[in-house]
Amino acid sequence: MELVCPAGTPASLRAAVEAGADVVYCGFRDETNARNFPGLNFSREELAAETEFAHSRGTHVYLACNTYPTAGNESLWHKAVDDAVAIGVDAVILADIGLLRYARDRHPDARLHLSVQASASNVEAIRFYHREFGVRRVVLPRVLSLDEIASLNRQIGVETEVFAFGGMCVMAEGRCSLSSYATGESPNMNGVCSPAHHVHYEERGDATISRLGDFTINVYGASETVGYPTLCKGRFRAMGKAGYLFEEPTSLDVTSMLPELAAAGVTALKIEGRQRGKAYIAQVVGSFRRALDQIAAGQATSESKLSHMTEGQSNTTGAYRRTWQ
């Protein structure tokens, strides 16, 4: 299976390539990608230089243009597609159907992938994107079980890519009304979820309060590690009890089920984390590279040793095994 790895900066891209990535994915430094954070992403000149570097090492580059154009401002997204193709990236990852149509009509030879932001999770939807726009790969939402993924792959004529490591999202893959409500900025339109300029912390006695906009997300005791206030991973009080109402801070890690994903017909494994530093990227990519090489050699995969890299120092196989059903 192809190992698709995040690159939020040129340094992270090079770290991923050196650690064994088959593909790196990245975005331009604007609202056209869903990780539009200060200090992240690439200028056109940087992406051209790093694409040349990656190609020299046999690594492909995918450009994420996976937010939704705002009315009357489609030109920013059109230019992102045009520039990505001109630079020579190996695929463009898109979500919006208007942008998909533009890319297919303007660049008929470009390889188009469907972003997880499109949330295509059934046979009919995937066939539609393949038929109408020539999409050649679909990034599947993190809501499907292993059996459902295998069933999809038996019925569709496109490649599938699934998330293998990193943050979980309890929404319809980025369509977070909670974050939009709290900050006035949309993950799908502005490319920011729980954006940093809305984050602040307060000391209250021995406790530390984390806030997003006007909302308290968590209260940490003196002995607790203070986390980033991602809204869906906050602790709230409901029905007289305090706890993680939406989701506990935990990360996806499918190292233990890589042979099962391969048997299910998965083409590519995606590591989440374009906002992470190069040390994180190098360690996670290297771990998955070793595991995939062990499978290719007919060996059993080593136990994952990435728990210290995960959110909350705990991990899950998410919906793939769906143990709650």
Side-chain angles (χ1 to χ4, degrees):
M1 292 179 288
E2 186 178 88
L3 186 57
V4 183
C5 305
T9 64
S12 293
L13 183 148
R14 294 191 175 226
V17 171
E18 298 291 352
D22 294 311
V23 176
V24 289
Y25 67 97
C26 46
F28 285 131
R29 197 172 292 138
D30 55 36
E31 295 181 7
T32 63
N33 88 90
R35 287 293 182 271
N36 183 28
F37 293 108
L40 287 185
N41 301 310
F42 292 70
S43 68
R44 269 57 174 178
E45 293 76 18
E46 287 171 335
L47 184 62
E50 296 309 320
T51 298
E52 183 177 355
F53 167 78
H55 286 170
S56 73
R57 303 299 182 92
T59 303
H60 285 182
V61 177
Y62 297 166
L63 190 283
C65 185
N66 56 346
T67 52
Y68 290 81
T70 54
N73 191 32
E74 297 89 349
S75 60
L76 179 66
W77 281 260
H78 291 173
K79 180 170 173 46
V81 172
D82 295 341
D83 289 349
V85 173
I87 286 169
V89 302
D90 300 283
V92 183
I93 308 168
L94 302 168
D96 178 72
I97 58 174
L99 199 53
L100 282 159
R101 173 66 70 187
Y102 173 86
R104 196 192 81 162
D105 291 348
R106 184 62 64 92
H107 306 286
D109 296 328
R111 182 181 175 95
L112 305 182
H113 291 185
L114 187 67
S115 169
V116 71
Q117 301 279 19
S119 242
S121 56
N122 59 65
V123 172
E124 290 77 13
I126 294 170
R127 285 177 177 170
F128 168 79
Y129 284 106
H130 176 56
R131 180 181 68 249
E132 296 297 323
F133 310 115
V135 164
R136 296 169 66 179
R137 179 182 296 181
V138 175
V139 184
L140 294 176
R142 285 163 280 194
V143 297
L144 299 174
S145 70
L146 186 67
D147 289 342
E148 289 168 336
I149 292 170
S151 177
L152 273 179
N153 281 327
R154 288 192 293 268
Q155 299 177 71
I156 60 176
V158 300
E159 300 171 353
T160 54
E161 180 174 316
V162 302
F163 282 89
F165 190 89
M168 299 289 289
C169 180
V170 299
M171 303 303 161
E173 293 298 350
R175 301 176 189 182
C176 186
S177 297
L178 285 173
S179 182
S180 298
Y181 176 77
T183 68
E185 297 185 65
S186 165
N188 284 101
M189 301 289 283
N190 307 109
V192 286
C193 174
S194 302
H197 55 279
H198 286 272
V199 170
H200 53 105
Y201 299 90
E202 302 172 7
E203 299 295 330
R204 188 180 298 170
D206 291 334
T208 300
I209 314 299
S210 65
R211 295 175 64 84
L212 182 68
D214 295 329
F215 298 90
T216 296
I217 306 302
N218 221 325
V219 179
Y220 297 94
S223 62
E224 292 184 290
T225 300
V226 177
Y228 189 87
T230 304
L231 199 151
C232 63
K233 296 176 176 63
R235 284 187 290 198
F236 304 98
R237 184 173 295 278
M239 301 178 67
K241 296 181 180 180
Y244 292 103
L245 186 61
F246 300 104
E247 183 188 22
E248 293 187 12
T250 187
S251 293
L252 181 69
D253 185 351
V254 303
T255 302
S256 64
M257 56 186 305
L258 292 177
E260 298 167 77
L261 288 167
V266 169
T267 298
L269 302 169
K270 186 167 201 159
I271 296 172
E272 187 271 341
R274 278 191 284 150
Q275 70 276 32
R276 303 285 189 169
K278 63 180 183 179
Y280 173 97
I281 298 298
Q283 188 161 351
V284 174
V285 174
S287 178
F288 272 87
R289 178 77 276 153
R290 288 188 292 273
L292 288 172
D293 289 347
Q294 288 170 338
I295 292 172
Q299 303 169 0
T301 56
S302 303
E303 183 179 349
S304 175
K305 297 180 180 178
L306 294 173
S307 59
H308 66 290
M309 307 290 289
T310 60
E311 193 170 10
Q313 285 70 59
S314 62
N315 54 60
T316 177
T317 54
Y320 296 138
R321 288 203 169 120
R322 200 173 289 171
T323 54
W324 59 88
Q325 284 189 339

